[in-house]
Every structure is written in structure tokens, then in C-alpha cells.
Amino acid sequence: MFDNLSDRLGGVFDRLKGRGALKEQDVRDAMREVRVALLEADVALPVARRFIDAVTEKAVGQDVLKSVTPGQQVVKIVHDELVDMLGGPETEGLILEAKPPVVIMMVGLQGSGKTTTTAKLAKLIKEKHGKKAMMASLDVNRPAAQEQLAVLGEQVETATLPIVAGQQPVDIARRAMEAARLQNFDVLLLDTAGRLHVDEALMAEMKAVSSVSEPTEVLLVVDSLTGQDAVNVAQSFGGEVPLTGVVLTRMDGDARGGAALSMRAVTGKPIKFAGTGEKLDAIEAFRAGSVADRILGMGDVVSLVEKAAATIKEEDAELLAKRMSQGQFDLNDLRMQLQQMQNMGGLGMLAGMMPGMKKAKAAMAAADMDDKVLLHMDAIIGSMTAKERANPALMNAKRKRRVAAGSGTEVPQVNKVLKMHQEMGRAMKQIKKMGGLKGLASMFGGGGGPGGMMGGLPGMGGSAGGPGGLPGLGGPGGGSGGPGVDPNTLPPELRDMLNKK
Ligand SMILES: Nc1nc2c(ncn2[C@@H]2O[C@H](COP(=O)(O)OP(=O)(O)OP(=O)(O)O)[C@@H](O)[C@H]2O)c(=O)[nH]1
Ligand SMILES: [Mg+2]
């Protein structure tokens, strides 16, 4: 998702940032390229035009052009405008505070993901909001559609309205309301039938269902892969039923992303959720800031922090932090960090989310480097004796050959691991001088977040000021709009790792 757009914009902005001074014409030329990139990504024309006008107006201001870093400022303006276009920095959740049963009605074209999203939301409502939900399928068009929802209901442990063969949507909706009221459900989710195209019959059905159930939320489910067409669909639905929000599904796919970018502007309704996979927990609150960061190659720090917090055991992190502060970081600790990296989805996943790591990721791909490196490093450390792991200085030439043979690697790879450990030890001393991990944490704009900071690759703490991972890799990219990290500032050992096999 957004990869092409991101690459194109990266090129434009690299050129802008590469210059000391900018003239108005430079900005206008760059904006022309941005406009083409947006259109190629399938952003609706009026949306792209409005976007470019807004950015240009702000960017050609004297303050920007005369500033010390005009290129950076323009990128910042683009970033903020992107966030705006996507609905602003706030996330908008479900409205559940109404007289129960609160009705959530799902609408959208055939196959857009309504039924799956209904089940995902039911799970979320139960687990995150602690409310009792019931689901009902009003899909009498597709055979077995109602059974599909019943099966999903079992998977997410949520009640579904018993199926009555032959009953029509409006009657099912009435029965569902009644059942939800009698059984004291807080929330009722109505999954409706899809159609191939927006047609009168569909719209009449949606309106009828909506008038008997008086939904608090009417969520339009849109498949991000449908591109320009999604915009037309959204417009037609928006004109007929009182939409309250949008859910974009298949954000995990390789869509060009334009539909996602246009949706807010076209419907005027907030994008509330993003579907990110087929599994029933693959749904996220839609965060405009994260998406803008990702498009501009700033990485998705918030997601990364959340992922780190979910993956890394707090005790591990605390233990490591303690050992590091006492200067006891040994190969066992390095190994733990490597394993955490693996748990978090490996190098590729991390690189894709790290600020400014797009280039590093490309370098990795070019060098054909993959997660095998992590496994190899783990095998190397695993082939050492406990003594050697605690005191790597014991590794002499003979032992290195043994360890290489034992781990199915070569001596240079063993050396690399040892060198990496050394580098990290040195970096940690530096960090100590710079005011310790807490000081570093604040550099990343973390501190308050669940992971506290992004010190580099793995090992971000479960607690604020936790251990710093491979230090030096981060850089002041945390806050939204901050500049990305120059891969040239990576620790040499890691840079080598990324550049070579
Ligand atoms: N990768 C991915 N697949 C998804 C996502 N959401 C739904 N799907 C898949 O898309 C397919 C269709 O999903 P459904 O939920 O049945 O779609 P629907 O809108 O209810 O379809 P109809 O009822 O036929 O109109 C299923 O195979 C889902 O697993 C998502 O966010 N990512
Ligand atoms: Mg369905």
C-alpha cells in the first residue's frame, strides 16, 4: 500500500531538500510532480487539485522560502496537509454512547468486506469496550450469507440472531431490534447484502432498513483495492444513506492507495477503521498521522511502538535495561535482542516501519538480505559456550572456527557478530554520557508511549526508558513531521550488514 506514491514523493522531496535556497518556481514545479504522483496513485482529481492548491499557497509564503531549511518546511506542510486530507490528527472511534441497543449498520458493495468487518467490530466491542454485542445478517441475496455470519459469530464468541428462512431484510432488522432489546444487548451490528453495482433496489433496501433500525452508526465498507471506482461508490452511498463513517478494508494489500486518500474528502465522513488482513483481529483505528508518515517515508512509529510493547516481555526489557546500565551487556543480551527482532516480524517488517528506513529497506532488498541473517546470528551465539557468551574476549581463532562450523556459518560472520556486540557496547557507553537511556528516549519523542522509545532495531523497552536496541539507528524521527533518519548515520556494523550479505 502506498509504496509507489511514497517512492515518487520521496524523489521529489529529496530534490527539494537537497537545495539550500528555494524559489517560488521550484515549489510550483515540485507541486506539479506531486500532483501527477497523486493522480497516478488514483487519488480523485478534485481531491488532488484541492490538496496541491492548499500546499502551494502555504509553501510559497515568504517565511517558508526564506527559512534556513525551505525543503524540510515544504515536506512538513505536505505532511500536515495529508493528515488534514485524511481527516485530521484525531482518531474517531465508534459512537457507542446511545440508548441501547446501539445499532451499527454496515453497508457497501459486494465483497468489500462487510461481513468480516462486522465480526471484527463485534470482537473489538467486546474486548476493548467491554460491551455485549449481537450480530444479525440481513443478507438474503447470497446463499449461505447468514450462515457465514453465524460461523464468524462463533469464532469471535458473539451472539448472532437465529436464522429464519425466507424472512426479508426489513423484517429481520425488526426482529433483531426486538431480540437485542429483550436480551439486553448493548450493541446490535447489522450486516447487509452487497450488490455488484450501486442500484435502486440496493439503495431502497438500505433506506428501509435504516428507517426501522435508526442506526447510530452507518459504516460504509470500502475495499481499498477498488481505486477510483470506490470514490463513485462512496458518493452514491453517501447521497442515499446517512453515513457516519468509513471502513477501509484490505489496507494490507498493494493497492495504490488513492481510494483511501480520497475517501474522507469525498464522503466528508471520518475514516474510522482500517482492515489489515483476513484474521478477525486484523482491524486498526485509522490514524491519519501514521498514514501520512508512511507515505512520506517517515515510518509508522506509533504502530511500531505498539507492536514492540505487545511483543517484548516487560521483565526481559527491564532486566536488559538494568544490565546495560551496569555495563554488563554480553552476547546473551545481544541474542535476546535478536530474538525480539524476530518476534516482531523480522528485519523487513521493522525497516518498513522505521522512520527514514525506506532506503535501508531497499538496500536490504538489493543485497538480498533477509531474516536468515538474524537466524544465523542466533545460531552463532548459540554455538558458543556459556563462558564465551558472558565473556566474548575468550573467542580466539580456534574457537571462532569451531563456532562457525557448529552454526553452519563462516568465520567472518562470527567476527561480525562479535564486532556488532562491541559496537553496541561502545554505543551504550556514549548513551550513558549523553544522559542515559531516558535522555535518548526523549530524543525519539517517545517517553510517554507504551514502548517509551525507539532506540533502534529491537529491544525497545516495555517501560519508559527501556533498553535502547541497536543504538544510533533511530534518530530524531519520532514526532510527526520530524525529519527521517539518514541511513548514513547507522552504526557502521549495521550499515555493513545492510549493504553486504
Ligand atoms: N486481506 C484482507 N482481506 C479481507 C479484509 N477484509 C475482508 N477480507 C476478505 O475479503 C473477502 C470478502 O469478505 P466479506 O466480509 O465476505 O465481504 P462482504 O462485503 O460481506 O461480501 P458480500 O456479503 O458478498 O457482499 C473474505 O475472503 C475476507 O476474508 C482485509 O482487511 N484484508
Ligand atoms: Mg457479506
Side-chain angles (χ1 to χ4, degrees):
M1 193 88 173
F2 302 124
D3 276 358
N4 279 333
L5 178 61
S6 186
D7 286 347
R8 289 282 305 259
L9 294 183
V12 176
F13 295 142
D14 278 351
R15 256 171 284 143
L16 269 191
K17 283 190 282 194
R19 306 200 195 172
L22 284 186
K23 291 205 201 68
E24 182 171 329
Q25 195 53 43
D26 300 325
V27 175
R28 293 194 186 276
D29 290 346
M31 287 309 134
R32 193 165 313 124
E33 289 182 64
V34 172
R35 181 164 180 255
V36 174
L38 289 174
L39 293 178
E40 279 179 6
D42 254 349
V43 175
L45 181 61
V47 179
R49 197 180 287 148
R50 222 175 309 150
F51 179 83
I52 295 298
D53 287 350
V55 173
T56 310
E57 193 186 317
K58 289 180 189 154
V60 297
Q62 292 305 307
D63 297 351
V64 173
L65 295 184
K66 284 208 177 126
S67 72
V68 193
T69 52
Q72 292 278 14
Q73 303 251 8
V74 173
V75 177
K76 167 99 172 78
I77 292 170
V78 170
H79 177 273
D80 293 350
E81 210 54 44
L82 262 178
V83 172
D84 234 40
M85 167 163 125
L86 291 167
E90 307 288 324
T91 57
E92 303 212 25
L94 291 172
I95 301 165
L96 296 175
E97 303 311 324
K99 189 167 154 278
V102 174
V103 176
I104 302 177
M105 180 176 161
M106 313 294 287
V107 300
L109 285 194
Q110 195 166 321
S112 56
K114 294 179 296 300
T115 306
T116 314
T117 307
T118 305
K120 286 177 179 177
L121 288 180
K123 185 170 156 67
L124 196 93
I125 287 166
K126 184 173 64 148
E127 291 174 1
K128 284 239 172 88
H129 300 272
K131 297 207 180 233
K132 224 172 106 184
M134 180 167 80
M135 305 190 285
S137 168
L138 313 188
D139 187 350
V140 296
N141 278 30
R142 194 162 55 79
Q146 295 182 296
E147 284 78 4
Q148 181 195 359
L149 189 69
V151 171
L152 293 175
E154 274 167 35
Q155 288 175 18
V156 295
E157 294 172 5
T158 298
T160 47
L161 185 74
I163 300 169
V164 173
Q167 200 167 42
Q168 290 305 296
V170 172
D171 293 327
I172 302 178
R174 279 207 191 95
R175 182 161 59 90
M177 293 289 293
E178 182 102 354
R181 224 174 272 133
L182 286 175
Q183 298 172 53
N184 291 319
F185 282 102
D186 302 311
V187 182
L188 171 64
L189 291 137
L190 297 178
D191 176 26
T192 62
R195 296 279 205 287
L196 275 179
H197 307 284
V198 174
D199 60 18
E200 274 178 32
L202 172 70
M203 288 309 163
E205 188 177 306
M206 295 299 120
K207 278 193 217 168
V209 168
S210 144
S211 71
V212 302
S213 62
E214 295 180 348
T216 303
E217 290 267 18
V218 181
L219 299 177
L220 175 66
V221 180
V222 182
D223 178 349
S224 355
L225 295 178
T226 42
Q228 278 295 312
D229 210 31
V231 171
N232 303 330
V233 170
Q235 249 154 354
S236 332
F237 271 95
E240 301 280 341
V241 282
L243 297 181
T244 57
V246 177
V247 179
L248 286 168
T249 60
R250 294 206 183 77
M251 289 282 280
D252 49 315
D254 53 7
R256 285 177 286 180
L261 294 179
S262 317
M263 207 44 72
R264 163 74 206 214
V266 169
T267 61
K269 303 296 171 199
I271 304 170
K272 294 200 168 183
F273 294 96
T276 54
E278 297 200 17
K279 290 210 188 121
L280 296 173
D281 54 5
I283 189 161
E284 293 173 3
F286 183 86
R287 270 193 291 263
S290 297
V291 173
D293 287 354
R294 195 172 280 184
I295 293 172
L296 296 179
M298 291 163 172
D300 190 347
V301 177
V302 179
S303 300
L304 188 53
V305 172
E306 280 179 2
K307 212 168 161 58
T311 325
I312 293 165
K313 287 197 219 99
E314 190 129 349
E315 313 94 80
D316 285 359
E318 266 163 25
L319 187 74
L320 190 57
K322 196 159 154 235
R323 291 177 56 76
M324 279 179 172
S325 63
Q326 293 167 348
Q328 288 179 329
F329 182 80
D330 66 16
L331 283 167
N332 287 310
D333 301 314
L334 176 61
R335 190 181 197 192
M336 194 167 95
Q337 293 224 328
L338 293 171
Q339 278 161 358
Q340 285 173 349
M341 273 167 83
Q342 199 75 42
N343 292 342
M344 284 175 65
L347 285 173
M349 178 80 163
L350 286 169
M353 291 197 288
M354 293 286 288
M357 280 294 280
K358 258 192 99 83
K359 283 178 194 144
K361 193 181 176 185
M364 267 161 62
D368 201 17
M369 192 186 113
D370 53 33
D371 294 336
K372 275 198 214 98
V373 174
L374 293 183
L375 293 176
H376 283 162
M377 292 175 77
D378 187 64
I380 289 169
I381 300 176
S383 300
M384 296 175 189
T385 63
K387 267 193 189 152
E388 285 161 352
R389 282 201 287 265
N391 181 10
L394 295 174
M395 293 290 295
N396 57 26
K398 188 173 156 218
R399 283 301 304 157
K400 283 180 190 169
R401 278 198 298 277
R402 278 286 312 143
V403 166
S407 58
T409 58
E410 308 281 341
V411 172
Q413 280 170 284
V414 177
N415 283 331
K416 217 176 248 186
V417 172
L418 293 172
K419 185 127 181 268
M420 186 163 174
H421 169 249
Q422 262 176 16
E423 290 277 346
M424 286 176 73
R426 210 172 303 147
M428 261 158 230
K429 279 194 199 111
Q430 263 171 19
I431 290 169
K432 235 175 158 179
K433 266 193 233 144
M434 284 163 56
L437 293 166
K438 286 234 171 71
L440 190 72
S442 62
M443 245 171 67
F444 292 102
M453 56 160 297
M454 300 284 89
L457 290 176
M460 301 76 168
S463 54
L470 303 186
L473 192 103
S480 67
V485 171
D486 180 355
N488 293 326
T489 60
L490 297 179
E493 206 36 36
L494 195 72
R495 199 169 58 225
D496 284 357
M497 214 170 91
L498 296 173
N499 288 336
K500 281 185 253 155
K501 260 194 217 184

